[in-house]
Amino acid sequence: MSSSVALLCLQATEDGRAIAQAIKEDNEGVIITNKPAMIQIEREGRIEVNASTVSEVLGREWDPEELQLVLISLGGQVEEDDEQFVVYWDN
Amino acid sequence: MSINQRKKRLNKKEQYKYMTRLGWDPTYQKSEDVYPYLKMEGIKIHDWEAWEDPFRMTMDSYWKLQAEKDKKLYSIIDAFAQNNAQKNISDARYVNALKLFLTGVTPLEYKVVQGFSHVARAFRGEGASIACQMQAIDELRHFQTQVHTMSHYNKYFDGFHDYAKAHDRVWYLSVPKSFGDDASTAGPFEFLTAISFSFEFVLTSLLFVPFMSGAAYNGDMATVTFGFSAQSDESRHMTLGLSAIKFILEQDPDNVPIVQEWMDKWLWRGYRLLGLVAMMMDYMLPNSPTSWAESVELYIEQNCIALYKDLERYGIELPTDTINTIIAEKGHLSHQVWNIFYNHTNAAAFHTWMPDEEKMNWLSEKYPDTFDKYYRPMFERYIELEKKGERFYSETLPIICQTCQIPLGFTDIEGGNPHVYTHETSEFNGEKFHFCSKGCKHVFEKQPEKYTQAWLPPHQIFQGNCGGATIPEVLKWYKIENGVDNLDYVGSPDEAMWNKLKNN
């Protein structure tokens, strides 16, 4: 397992909070810290954002492309398709 | 009445192909005449088609998402203005960070628009060219939203009036200006490495994320919104930066040492530039949620090292010396840069001040090994002088670093003498040049012909190119109104306006 920590910073908006909630459900051991106007999300190796879980939390269809509207910053490489957005380190 | 049948729409892949089909081969001009900069840096590209545009799959939704982001941003700016929300910020001192941002960072965004437009034209591959054009459009959006957001503060506070001229002329703004000039006068591959990789991927979060979160903490929702909106584009820019670097490294093993040298150089150049941000975070935010040192731990010691580790398989090595210096300096940098500006605020386009007791205690807590030992006593001495009516301003011009253009105000931290000022020198063509650090000396010695041409403000002032040799003459040339835009916050028109606002 990688020792590098993948990072996502989201705006603390309604959508941002829902995405953070979905991440918490799908990523064991993730650390979520609330900062002014911002939610900081860290996990060793990788963080997965699954469209189905976010849709469930939000109560509406959610496309991973919409992450762009609340994403502030990330640490890691990015892989994205219709189902999920993944940020990971390859080491 | 006839009903026209709707034309069948293209699918995503076809759409992208027709939207971006720019990669034709020249027939009546030689390829090297059409693309004159491709070989100048020694980078070897065998197959341009191997570089796929990382934005390609999101091209269709790009416009929709960007429009949505802008709509949100401008509605918040409107609400901010309608609410007179400038009254709700924590303290008018905070606004000085925005003055520095508008004069130092925003014009740099515009420089990057020019750079990416130029690089888009210089590259052969259509994937590379389109990705760079798209980034140029993003950067233009950042420039515009920053100017629009801060224009509201210009109605109430001094120092926002002529930011473009300030950027070109004012001494400390030669730090960001020389950074942008250095990048955009490099070849296309170095520009891409400098901005797309080193700055966007490694350093941009250090600039935007903790400071902007701090803006929210100080009640400035307008700024936090442009900051986060701009930073949200960075995930695309990071993807471009990383894919660009991997593409160049994969094309030919001869490219590896060239790229390594650029990565090392621009990590250092970018880090030095962010010294301004260190001071903004620790001193210019009245309430600081995160210290510079904590940000270095997250974004350099964690993210930057992870990124270099991912590139090890291509033969890239972690610049251990540079990283060690950044870590060694993390407890000192913001205090030293604030000290420089406190001493030279008589020639700046914003105000400075000494931290109050509460802020000093916060600094002691965040910097337990350095603040009380090295900086609190110095600042308490300044406060004593202020009380006696002898607020200190330097009347002399500083010696500045030939590479990064920051005054030589750093100390021998790695040598174990944090209380002793230090600097480096180098000789070229019989002339002696001065540097703030080993990192800057090294950058100079790799390309002395370039850096000997630097436009150094103190030299230019003494050569008579800046309106005269006295501070009032130079201020006039800077378009800074003496006693209004500059000097200590205490006693400034900004302070008087703020006190009136708060007492009504």
Side-chain angles (χ1 to χ4, degrees):
Chain A
M1 188 66 179
S2 161
S3 61
S4 295
V5 177
L7 170 80
L8 278 179
C9 295
L10 305 180
Q11 290 189 46
T13 60
E14 204 174 320
D15 281 9
R17 278 188 288 271
I19 296 164
Q21 177 61 34
I23 291 172
K24 201 175 167 187
E25 287 176 23
D26 291 345
N27 297 267
E28 209 189 324
V30 70
I31 298 166
I32 298 182
T33 320
N34 289 306
K35 304 233 169 185
M38 182 170 100
I39 308 165
Q40 189 171 304
I41 303 166
E42 293 162 281
R43 184 169 183 255
E44 210 169 272
R46 68 192 264 133
I47 301 169
E48 283 180 17
V49 188
N50 294 309
S52 55
T53 320
V54 180
S55 299
E56 225 168 88
V57 179
L58 269 176
R60 66 167 173 88
E61 275 301 301
W62 183 84
D63 189 305
E65 283 182 347
E66 289 180 54
L67 188 68
Q68 291 292 332
L69 296 173
V70 293
L71 181 64
I72 299 165
S73 185
L74 54 83
Q77 306 200 34
V78 171
E79 225 171 64
E80 187 182 0
D81 61 26
D82 292 341
E83 299 302 316
Q84 61 174 193
F85 181 100
V86 183
V87 58
Y88 67 99
W89 288 116
D90 205 5
N91 59 59
Chain B
M1 200 168 81
S2 69
I3 297 165
N4 292 326
Q5 204 181 345
R6 268 167 63 93
K7 277 187 187 159
K8 199 170 168 271
R9 289 176 68 115
L10 298 170
N11 68 28
K12 265 190 187 179
K13 208 174 160 189
E14 286 169 334
Q15 240 180 37
Y16 179 77
K17 191 176 142 204
Y18 285 105
M19 202 155 39
T20 61
R21 198 178 49 185
L22 299 172
W24 60 78
D25 291 318
T27 51
Y28 51 90
Q29 292 290 340
K30 282 184 284 184
S31 183
E32 55 267 36
D33 291 341
V34 179
Y35 300 105
Y37 302 115
L38 283 183
K39 296 217 168 111
M40 65 182 271
E41 297 164 281
I43 292 289
K44 294 173 185 161
I45 303 297
H46 305 293
D47 176 19
W48 276 101
E49 298 305 310
W51 187 0
E52 287 195 323
D53 173 7
F55 299 164
R56 69 194 178 286
M57 289 320 289
T58 51
M59 187 65 116
D60 192 36
S61 53
Y62 172 83
W63 310 101
K64 203 176 72 194
L65 290 169
Q66 296 301 90
E68 185 74 18
K69 277 193 216 167
D70 260 24
K71 218 161 70 188
K72 279 189 177 179
L73 171 85
Y74 284 102
S75 58
I76 289 173
I77 295 175
D78 269 355
F80 193 83
Q82 286 177 29
N83 268 328
N84 275 324
Q86 77 282 352
K87 287 184 183 175
N88 299 334
I89 57 171
S90 55
D91 190 284
R93 286 177 178 84
Y94 163 77
V95 177
N96 291 284
L98 298 184
K99 298 177 193 178
L100 185 54
F101 200 100
L102 183 66
T103 49
V105 179
T106 303
L108 202 52
E109 301 266 21
Y110 195 75
K111 184 64 100 179
V112 175
V113 179
Q114 295 169 318
F116 273 106
S117 307
H118 179 252
V119 171
R121 171 61 184 82
F123 283 150
R124 272 243 46 183
E126 60 190 281
S129 185
I130 292 290
C132 292
Q133 286 177 47
M134 300 304 287
Q135 179 151 353
I137 294 170
D138 279 356
E139 303 292 352
L140 188 59
R141 185 177 89 86
H142 299 174
F143 171 77
Q144 289 171 335
T145 55
Q146 286 165 24
V147 172
H148 285 163
T149 309
M150 283 187 245
S151 66
H152 180 69
Y153 285 101
N154 184 39
K155 294 176 195 159
Y156 304 93
F157 298 90
D158 297 315
F160 289 94
H161 51 283
D162 206 348
Y163 67 89
K165 192 157 270 133
H167 184 75
D168 281 347
R169 294 186 173 187
V170 176
W171 61 276
Y172 56 91
L173 296 172
S174 72
V175 174
K177 187 177 192 304
S178 79
F179 179 91
D181 288 349
D182 190 354
S184 56
T185 52
F189 292 103
E190 185 180 347
F191 175 84
L192 203 72
T193 309
I195 303 300
S196 216
F197 180 77
S198 297
F199 199 72
E200 299 280 1
F201 210 124
V202 183
L203 297 165
T204 192
S205 294
L206 256 181
L207 166 63
F208 274 102
V209 184
F211 175 73
M212 291 305 167
S213 182
Y217 206 45
N218 287 280
D220 182 7
M221 286 317 291
T223 294
V224 72
T225 308
F226 90 63
F228 286 172
S229 184
Q231 188 62 24
S232 71
D233 293 351
E234 304 300 353
S235 62
R236 273 199 310 277
H237 302 171
M238 288 168 166
T239 314
L240 170 60
L242 194 57
S243 72
I245 285 287
K246 285 180 180 170
F247 164 74
I248 300 169
L249 294 173
E250 277 165 2
Q251 284 290 309
D252 200 292
D254 289 353
N255 295 343
V256 176
I258 303 174
V259 172
Q260 173 91 56
E261 201 178 297
W262 289 336
M263 285 168 65
D264 298 353
K265 167 184 167 181
W266 287 99
L267 176 63
W268 182 254
R269 289 284 270 127
Y271 161 72
R272 265 290 179 254
L273 173 66
L274 292 187
L276 292 173
V277 181
M279 131 185 137
M280 284 160 76
M281 288 170 58
D282 284 348
Y283 286 87
M284 300 184 83
L285 294 177
N287 305 322
S288 319
T290 314
S291 70
W292 169 256
E294 287 164 339
S295 302
V296 166
E297 282 158 18
L298 178 60
Y299 294 107
I300 300 288
E301 295 178 48
Q302 186 174 305
N303 275 4
C304 175
I305 290 179
L307 179 61
Y308 273 87
K309 269 202 237 162
D310 268 15
L311 293 172
E312 268 173 12
R313 76 194 59 179
Y314 299 93
I316 291 294
E317 288 169 20
L318 186 73
T320 315
D321 288 350
T322 302
I323 301 276
N324 285 343
T325 302
I326 294 173
I327 294 170
E329 286 186 358
K330 74 180 176 185
H332 298 269
L333 187 68
S334 64
H335 320 299
Q336 298 196 340
V337 179
W338 186 244
N339 181 41
I340 292 171
F341 275 93
Y342 180 82
N343 285 308
H344 291 284
T345 320
N346 46 347
F350 61 91
H351 308 295
T352 57
W353 54 88
M354 273 295 112
D356 61 17
E357 192 54 29
E358 197 186 336
K359 186 70 166 179
M360 293 244 210
N361 291 341
W362 180 84
L363 289 161
S364 303
E365 187 197 315
K366 294 289 178 185
Y367 295 98
D369 299 331
T370 56
F371 185 72
D372 285 351
K373 194 165 174 192
Y374 302 107
Y375 304 104
R376 188 190 276 266
M378 180 163 78
F379 291 167
E380 281 172 348
R381 204 165 62 243
Y382 290 154
I383 292 168
E384 282 307 308
L385 283 171
E386 273 176 40
K387 279 186 189 153
K388 284 194 270 175
E390 296 166 17
R391 195 318 190 172
F392 178 77
Y393 293 111
S394 173
E395 295 296 328
T396 60
L397 302 180
I399 295 177
I400 64 174
C401 174
Q402 189 75 27
T403 303
C404 73
Q405 307 218 2
I406 295 175
L408 303 180
F410 300 109
T411 60
D412 181 25
I413 291 158
E414 281 181 292
N417 302 299
H419 52 289
V420 178
Y421 284 103
T422 179
H423 80 287
E424 301 283 329
T425 58
S426 187
E427 283 203 20
F428 182 69
N429 280 347
E431 209 181 328
K432 193 172 186 179
F433 295 91
H434 301 265
F435 308 94
C436 68
S437 57
K438 285 190 178 68
C440 282
K441 174 184 156 91
H442 180 75
V443 170
F444 173 89
E445 286 176 347
K446 286 278 174 184
Q447 272 180 301
E449 298 86 353
K450 183 170 192 175
Y451 295 99
T452 51
Q453 299 174 57
W455 194 95
L456 302 182
H459 295 48
Q460 294 299 322
I461 290 168
F462 283 135
Q463 284 171 33
N465 296 327
C466 305
T470 65
I471 289 179
E473 288 168 318
V474 174
L475 287 180
K476 202 173 160 203
W477 188 74
Y478 286 170
K479 312 272 181 204
I480 291 175
E481 201 180 329
N482 196 18
V484 175
D485 303 318
N486 62 347
L487 304 183
D488 204 296
Y489 173 76
V490 177
S492 70
D494 273 4
E495 186 205 31
M497 190 278 303
W498 182 252
N499 288 338
K500 204 173 145 203
L501 202 69
K502 285 282 129 182
N503 293 327
N504 280 336

